[in-house]
Amino acid sequence: MDLPVDEWKSYLLQKWASLPKSIQVTISTAETLSDIFLHSSSLLQPEDELFLRRLSKSYLVGKDSDAPFFYREQGNKKFQEKDYTAAAVLYSKGVSHSRPNTEDMSLCYANRSAALFHLGQYETCLKDITRAQTHGYPERLQPKIMLRKAECLVALGRLQEASQTIGDLERNFTPTPTPADVPPQTLQRNLHHLKMKVQEKENLTETFPATLAKTLEDVALRGENEQLSSASSSVSLCIDPLKGRYLVATKDILPGELLVKEDAFVSVLNPGELPPPHHGLDSQWDTRVTNGDLYCHRCLKHTLATVPCDGCSYAKYCSQECLQQAWELYHRTECPLGGLLLTLGVFCHIALRLTLVVGFEDVRKIVKKLCVKISNKDICLPESNNQVRTLNWGRGETEKNGSRVGTPIPGCDANGKYGRNYNAVFNLLPHTENHRPEHKFLCAVCASVLCRQLEAASSQAIPTGVNSSQLTAAVTPELCPDVTIWGVAMLRHMLQLQCNAQAITTIQHTGCKGSIVTDSRQVRLATGIFPVISLLNHSCSPNTSVSFTSTVATIRASQRIGKGQEILHCYGPHKSRMGVTERQQKLRSQYFFDCTCPACQTEAHRMTAGPRWKAFCCNSCRAPMQGDGVLRCGNRSCAESVVSRDDLVSRLQDLQQQVGVAQKLLRDGELERAVQLLSGCQRDAESFLWAEHAMVGEIADGLAQACAALGDWQKSATHLQKSLRVVEVRHGPSSVEMGHELFKLAQIFFNGFAVPEALSTIQKAEEVLSLHCGPWDDEIQELQKMKSCLLDLPPTLVRS
């Protein structure tokens, strides 16, 4: 996903292995990124590009005139099954393959509006109705779509507009409709029904306040930071010869305090791990749902009503405004390169987008100003009379003529401020000397391929890819007159991204069929570059938590941070998810350092069999098993014989497989069978797994979902409380995982009318979630609604 597809990666690694030793040495010992780029680029042959072109064509990113009908038919099937979300996604796929101002596009938009209407998304439904009419919705079908428009307006309380639409329908109604039209008696009946609804609503005296939009505007940073943009005044930027740039607290910080709120400088939606559509599928058109079908490719807003690029079927947006902005900033160049960018991977895509957003002239200035040496110490910095000083205790200060002077901090401007700009992005460390030679060769060749595409584009007009009536005319962008500068910049960004890319995540809610209790999981939505957040150093047990709303990242203190203490972030390997050995290996291979955080130091000195959430237990006395290859009971008085770790691991794998089958039964709504299988899994787990093993919690969570779907709220709560104990041991009592689990428990108590337990759990869940998320968070909003509803309940409905 981040790197090129496996076929292209393997091809280039084989090419590297077949190069003469002298050429490998030349690239391996090159002193500058420019030398690496030029040497690697010279090795790119026509047959290499031909192979890459074949791979790129496997991604069907163009528009297929036969696809809209197929997707419309598939959407209609889902619509008949009342699966309106799936229907909307399939209609969106049909829209993406349709040409503007065609019946195909208008019909797909109209059908999608019907699905959105049944989902209660009336505003979005109205937009789709307008889109259908704009793109030539057939006159014979107009009564159907106008009725839907009137129903939406009534549901939204826009009664004057609804009356006008009904009047237009009555005036324009023809008594001799074609067979495809709405039958006259049905139309008359529906119009009468709507007019009655309008009259009823007009007689209501109660007014309904408009729903407040969820935005980040109400979440402000604490004071303006004159040194560091996007950060609160509670944070300061420092530099150290060993640890580099880092952030510290300038005052005592309380848990939940907002420290950084930063919009991604550039982000690219992750396409997912799916293979190209034609691989192993019965149809050439893909009906699978990916993030690309559900989120705007520019702002990452979730939507079921995407607006597609007119030139390709891949890029989709939440609105015409996002489409316009993406087109003007980068997509007019990326549009014809869609299949190639999917083949080259997300990092290559981000590298290109960075240079397109910034523009060649600014890229050239930065590249010329900063000598791109291999060693981080050799990067030439712009001279400045305004050198940034570190904090008073002098970290990063050096002696000069007997007095202390501040070290200039890379990425800061002439006024000493570090901001969200290309200078800061370019100064993120690429760690060139740490990357393997073959990896640098791979990145350089990928950058070279894109440079050749840009070079070709500069000599001919790039297809507009967008309806000229909707967008300003596309002009060939000012591409690079010197492809070496463009290539060096993209190569540097690709190398930077291994250590500086930030996964943009979202919480997706799921649940078994028939259950109103949701489960949640964190999924990777996109990859972005955040120059301020990239300054945070890693800890396997960090003192901050990150969350995202669209492309905006917020960093909050997850615990008390004392004045002068470093602000720490987790790069992925967290002590609650991995053991110390696995964490150290991952950090060393991806980030090129050995972690010495307190969590690693503590675990390294412990002589245990691993974390409690991975531990096995004795079948006789339930004590934890100890050892490596051969395990013995930790209770010396126990007579239980030794057991092979491999045997227990094999048992655990069998159990995981059974739990997977049970989870599928849950999703399919076969609740009794799921409960029966999970109960057996629970008995098996208790015989050899520690009570706080992660699998024990997963089984209990599944049982809780099944019991909730069956309406047995008391049993559901009992099972979930068992899962909660496992989550607390593994992730901690104030972790975001604990917050999500408490949210589920609150749902169960709420639905079971266990008011005291529900109110208590709601309070705990709010306290935990507020440490990690802002007040706009979906779960916090839902908790507040539940609390308000419970406090208004009459005493007779409260379970004692």
Side-chain angles (χ1 to χ4, degrees):
M1 184 193 300
D2 290 332
L3 294 176
V5 295
D6 290 340
E7 295 94 332
W8 179 238
K9 190 162 58 176
S10 299
Y11 180 91
L12 287 183
L13 292 178
Q14 287 174 12
K15 185 178 179 72
W16 169 263
S18 67
L19 292 175
K21 192 70 176 175
S22 59
I23 296 179
Q24 289 186 359
V25 170
T26 298
I27 295 174
S28 301
T29 58
E31 293 186 357
T32 66
L33 288 175
S34 178
D35 289 339
I36 294 174
F37 175 76
L38 289 172
H39 286 307
S40 302
S41 182
S42 67
L43 298 170
L44 184 62
Q45 300 300 313
E47 57 268 26
D48 304 329
E49 294 185 90
L50 182 62
F51 179 76
L52 180 59
R53 199 174 299 120
R54 284 201 301 267
L55 289 177
S56 301
K57 285 183 177 178
S58 66
Y59 289 95
L60 306 179
V61 294
K63 292 187 183 289
D64 187 328
S65 59
D66 294 325
F69 177 78
F70 168 80
Y71 284 122
R72 205 164 65 246
E73 290 294 301
Q74 295 299 311
N76 290 344
K77 290 177 184 176
K78 292 294 181 182
F79 191 93
Q80 293 299 323
E81 296 169 7
K82 300 191 184 325
D83 189 349
Y84 300 118
T85 299
V89 171
L90 288 163
Y91 294 140
S92 293
K93 287 177 179 284
V95 169
S96 296
H97 279 278
S98 302
R99 294 289 176 187
N101 303 315
T102 61
E103 186 170 297
D104 275 335
M105 180 164 274
S106 70
L107 290 174
C108 287
Y109 272 136
N111 286 14
R112 191 173 73 183
S113 75
L116 294 169
F117 177 81
H118 283 280
L119 290 168
Q121 297 189 23
Y122 303 119
E123 290 282 6
T124 313
C125 175
L126 287 173
K127 290 178 183 177
D128 264 5
I129 290 171
T130 302
R131 290 169 183 143
Q133 292 173 323
T134 302
H135 288 279
Y137 191 65
E139 190 66 31
R140 69 185 189 278
L141 298 175
Q142 285 292 336
K144 181 191 295 187
I145 207 168
M146 293 294 284
L147 272 172
R148 190 175 303 137
K149 178 180 179 179
E151 288 181 289
C152 285
L153 292 169
V154 170
L156 292 168
R158 291 156 60 176
L159 305 181
Q160 188 173 348
E161 294 173 76
S163 295
Q164 183 179 340
T165 304
I166 292 169
D168 291 343
L169 260 172
E170 288 179 321
R171 282 190 298 274
N172 298 326
F173 172 64
T174 306
T176 55
T178 63
D181 268 331
V182 180
Q185 60 272 24
T186 302
L187 181 58
Q188 294 277 21
R189 186 169 59 249
N190 288 341
L191 283 173
H192 176 73
H193 179 64
L194 274 174
K195 287 165 77 174
M196 293 294 292
K197 270 190 177 181
V198 171
Q199 290 172 7
E200 287 172 12
K201 290 214 170 193
E202 283 176 340
N203 292 331
L204 289 176
T205 56
E206 183 182 3
T207 59
F208 298 91
T211 304
L212 294 175
K214 293 189 299 180
T215 67
L216 289 174
E217 293 175 4
D218 60 331
V219 185
L221 290 165
R222 183 177 173 182
E224 183 181 354
N225 193 315
E226 296 179 357
Q227 182 196 24
L228 192 62
S229 71
S230 306
S232 84
S233 58
S234 304
V235 173
S236 182
L237 172 61
C238 298
I239 189 167
D240 181 89
L242 294 178
K243 65 168 69 173
R245 297 168 293 180
Y246 63 101
L247 302 182
V248 297
T250 60
K251 57 187 76 172
D252 290 342
I253 295 172
L254 296 175
E257 184 176 332
L258 183 61
L259 304 178
V260 177
K261 186 179 78 174
E262 183 181 18
D263 197 357
F265 189 81
V266 156
S267 63
V268 169
L269 191 76
N270 284 356
E273 300 289 353
L274 298 174
H278 74 276
H279 286 185
L281 295 178
D282 295 333
S283 168
Q284 66 184 94
W285 299 300
D286 192 5
T287 56
R288 294 166 295 182
V289 180
T290 68
N291 285 339
D293 299 311
L294 300 173
Y295 295 89
C296 176
H297 287 219
R298 193 194 76 82
C299 73
L300 305 182
K301 176 185 174 182
H302 183 273
T303 178
L304 287 175
T306 52
V307 179
C309 167
D310 288 345
C312 67
S313 63
Y314 180 71
K316 308 176 186 75
Y317 305 95
C318 64
S319 64
Q320 194 68 25
E321 292 71 28
C322 265
L323 186 154
Q324 173 83 45
Q325 290 175 38
W327 180 258
E328 292 175 350
L329 284 170
Y330 50 80
H331 190 62
R332 62 177 177 180
T333 301
E334 293 179 357
C335 184
L337 306 177
L340 176 64
L341 292 171
L342 288 170
T343 306
L344 294 179
V346 169
F347 282 0
C348 201
H349 195 165
I350 292 177
L352 172 64
R353 188 168 289 182
L354 270 168
T355 55
L356 291 174
V357 166
V358 174
F360 170 70
E361 189 54 35
D362 286 343
V363 171
R364 185 191 64 78
K365 286 177 183 176
I366 295 288
V367 172
K368 291 293 186 184
K369 188 179 278 188
L370 303 180
C371 304
V372 190
K373 292 287 187 180
I374 287 293
S375 170
N376 296 327
K377 297 178 183 177
D378 292 339
I379 294 180
C380 299
L381 297 168
E383 293 183 6
S384 170
N385 294 325
N386 301 295
Q387 293 180 321
V388 179
R389 285 187 173 273
T390 56
L391 293 183
N392 294 333
W393 52 84
R395 288 183 183 274
E397 293 185 342
T398 55
E399 295 285 344
K400 185 176 181 180
N401 298 326
S403 62
R404 286 185 178 271
V405 296
T407 305
I409 298 183
C412 291
D413 61 20
N415 297 316
K417 183 162 185 174
Y418 186 95
R420 180 184 167 275
N421 54 48
Y422 187 62
N423 181 40
V425 171
F426 198 87
N427 274 282
L428 296 174
L429 298 181
H431 295 284
T432 316
E433 71 281 10
N434 293 316
H435 289 285
R436 298 188 310 276
E438 59 269 30
H439 178 72
K440 288 182 280 192
F441 171 73
L442 181 149
C443 292
V445 171
C446 290
S448 177
V449 168
L450 285 176
C451 280
R452 294 190 185 188
Q453 293 289 330
L454 296 173
E455 200 172 21
S458 65
S459 62
Q460 60 182 2
I462 298 178
T464 65
V466 179
N467 188 339
S468 57
S469 66
Q470 297 172 331
L471 293 179
T472 56
V475 219
T476 304
E478 301 246 347
L479 295 178
C480 177
D482 180 358
V483 291
T484 302
I485 291 178
W486 202 289
V488 169
M490 286 196 289
L491 173 57
R492 179 178 176 87
H493 295 321
M494 288 185 73
L495 297 178
Q496 285 174 325
L497 285 164
Q498 179 165 318
C499 296
N500 293 287
Q502 173 68 53
I504 298 174
T505 61
T506 187
I507 300 297
Q508 287 188 351
H509 295 277
T510 57
C512 62
K513 192 175 286 186
S515 176
I516 59 176
V517 177
T518 62
D519 195 6
S520 60
R521 64 188 183 101
Q522 190 179 56
V523 296
R524 184 175 179 180
L525 177 59
T527 303
I529 191 134
F530 297 81
V532 175
I533 291 175
S534 290
L535 298 172
L536 293 166
N537 280 329
H538 168 80
S539 171
C540 298
S541 181
N543 52 19
T544 62
S545 178
V546 61
S547 61
F548 298 90
T549 300
S550 297
T551 57
V552 177
T554 56
I555 301 286
R556 294 176 179 275
S558 58
Q559 56 188 256
R560 186 188 177 280
I561 303 173
K563 180 179 178 179
Q565 196 175 342
E566 185 173 1
I567 313 292
L568 297 166
H569 175 48
C570 180
Y571 292 177
H574 196 284
K575 72 170 189 176
S576 68
R577 291 187 283 271
M578 301 178 190
V580 62
T581 303
E582 187 181 356
R583 296 200 309 269
Q584 292 278 4
Q585 189 277 328
K586 185 170 179 61
L587 290 167
R588 196 176 296 118
S589 63
Q590 182 173 348
Y591 297 98
F592 312 120
F593 71 89
D594 292 313
C595 185
T596 57
C597 74
C600 285
Q601 291 179 329
T602 301
E603 287 182 51
H605 288 92
R606 283 183 187 164
M607 300 301 291
T608 64
R612 291 156 68 184
W613 45 271
K614 282 187 174 182
F616 297 108
C617 74
C618 173
N619 190 36
S620 297
C621 69
R622 313 297 302 148
M625 302 292 283
Q626 296 178 350
D628 293 322
V630 176
L631 301 180
R632 292 176 173 80
C633 178
N635 180 4
R636 293 185 179 180
S637 62
C638 180
E640 183 71 17
S641 59
V642 298
V643 62
S644 164
R645 178 181 290 276
D646 289 343
D647 290 344
L648 292 180
V649 169
S650 177
R651 253 183 101 177
L652 177 59
Q653 290 170 343
D654 291 341
L655 181 62
Q656 288 170 329
Q657 189 175 6
Q658 289 298 304
V659 171
V661 173
Q663 288 171 337
K664 186 177 185 308
L665 291 172
L666 271 177
R667 290 192 297 272
D668 294 341
E670 298 186 49
L671 303 176
E672 287 82 2
R673 288 182 62 196
V675 168
Q676 187 178 5
L677 184 53
L678 284 170
S679 298
C681 290
Q682 190 175 59
R683 289 189 295 271
D684 187 21
E686 289 169 352
S687 68
F688 74 104
L689 297 180
W690 184 242
E692 292 154 351
H693 194 286
M695 181 52 61
V696 172
E698 191 174 337
I699 293 168
D701 192 85
L703 283 166
Q705 283 192 56
C707 290
L710 291 167
D712 193 337
W713 303 109
Q714 199 164 354
K715 272 190 180 179
S716 180
T718 301
H719 286 302
L720 196 62
Q721 285 167 323
K722 189 171 185 178
S723 171
L724 204 64
R725 287 193 292 273
V726 175
V727 171
E728 183 173 357
V729 166
R730 181 175 181 180
H731 298 283
S734 299
S735 63
V736 68
E737 292 84 2
M738 191 70 173
H740 295 319
E741 206 73 3
L742 283 166
F743 172 75
K744 285 158 57 178
L745 185 59
Q747 285 182 306
I748 290 169
F749 283 138
F750 175 84
N751 285 285
F753 294 107
V755 176
E757 295 92 335
L759 289 172
S760 172
T761 307
I762 286 169
Q763 183 179 344
K764 290 177 188 175
E766 280 190 282
E767 288 172 358
V768 174
L769 289 171
S770 64
L771 298 179
H772 308 277
C773 315
W776 67 88
D777 178 73
D778 288 339
E779 290 186 347
I780 290 178
Q781 293 281 319
E782 185 64 28
L783 287 166
Q784 290 170 352
K785 289 177 186 175
M786 285 193 284
K787 179 164 63 176
S788 176
C789 181
L790 289 172
L791 292 174
D792 290 340
L793 275 179
T796 52
L797 291 178
V798 178
R799 181 176 67 80
S800 58

